[in-house]
Amino acid sequence: MATPHFTLVQGDITEQDVDAVVNAANSSLLGGGGVDGAIHRKGGPDILSECRELRASRYRTGLPTGQAVATTAGRLPARWVIHTVGPVHSHQEDRSGLLASCHRESLRVARELGARTVAFPAISTGVYRWPVADAARIAVRTLRAEGEGFDELRLVLFDRDSYDAFADAVG
């Protein structure tokens, strides 16, 4: 099995010229803070319009944690946005399987779309409080196991600490 090609970038996921960017969405699919808010703001109303259609049809109660769904990327340089809902970190319950599922399901959707390049943020590490080093380990392990066939899996980290944690995980 071929190891996927990882690229690490410290920067803004909304500026990535890739086939698909992964959005660390909230379950409502209607925008929010952090990565989600930035993608909706910069991508424009077409993303929100498609998210509203998804809520009215397939996801009436919201997108479940660990699942993924795609919309247009609107005014972003990417072709698609793959929305996934990361788990909130818990000290009482092991939710690492849900975090791994976000990455696995995002890759599944990317394959269905025919995407060859996919940019991922550090899912669940912001307001959902997942420790960055652990999130990086889970993300990289899952992307290595499931990422065969993609030309590039880009890890786009907003700050230096996140970049360093993901660089350590990639090795």
Side-chain angles (χ1 to χ4, degrees):
M1 179 156 71
T3 302
H5 172 72
F6 287 105
T7 303
L8 275 76
V9 174
Q10 184 180 340
D12 183 346
I13 198 156
T14 67
E15 296 175 358
Q16 303 306 306
D17 189 3
V18 293
D19 294 332
V21 294
V22 174
N23 179 19
N26 67 50
S27 65
S28 77
L29 293 175
L30 302 178
V35 169
D36 195 21
I39 284 174
H40 277 272
R41 278 190 304 278
K42 191 162 182 182
D46 291 346
I47 297 171
L48 183 58
S49 176
E50 284 192 30
C51 285
R52 284 189 174 134
E53 288 175 24
L54 288 165
R55 283 298 306 272
S57 59
R58 289 174 45 196
Y59 300 105
R60 291 186 181 276
T61 60
L63 183 65
T65 301
Q67 298 300 304
V69 66
T71 65
T72 181
R75 296 188 300 248
L76 299 176
R79 293 178 62 193
W80 300 287
V81 174
I82 299 171
H83 306 266
T84 190
V85 179
V88 174
H89 184 262
S90 170
H91 293 289
Q92 289 76 37
E93 179 184 354
D94 180 7
R95 298 180 180 166
S96 57
L98 287 169
L99 185 55
S101 181
C102 291
H103 296 85
R104 187 171 37 259
E105 288 296 305
S106 294
L107 290 175
R108 180 189 58 76
V109 170
R111 274 193 186 88
E112 290 173 0
L113 294 168
R116 306 292 302 152
T117 55
V118 184
F120 285 84
I123 298 168
S124 286
T125 63
V127 70
Y128 290 178
R129 301 180 314 277
W130 205 285
V132 176
D134 191 48
R137 179 187 59 76
I138 292 165
V140 170
R141 181 184 66 218
T142 305
L143 295 174
R144 275 200 173 114
E146 306 286 336
E148 185 174 13
F150 288 94
D151 294 339
E152 178 188 16
L153 299 178
R154 189 176 301 178
L155 302 167
V156 183
L157 298 315
F158 190 72
D159 60 33
R160 188 69 201 186
D161 289 341
S162 297
Y163 179 94
D164 290 345
F166 275 76
D168 287 347
V170 169

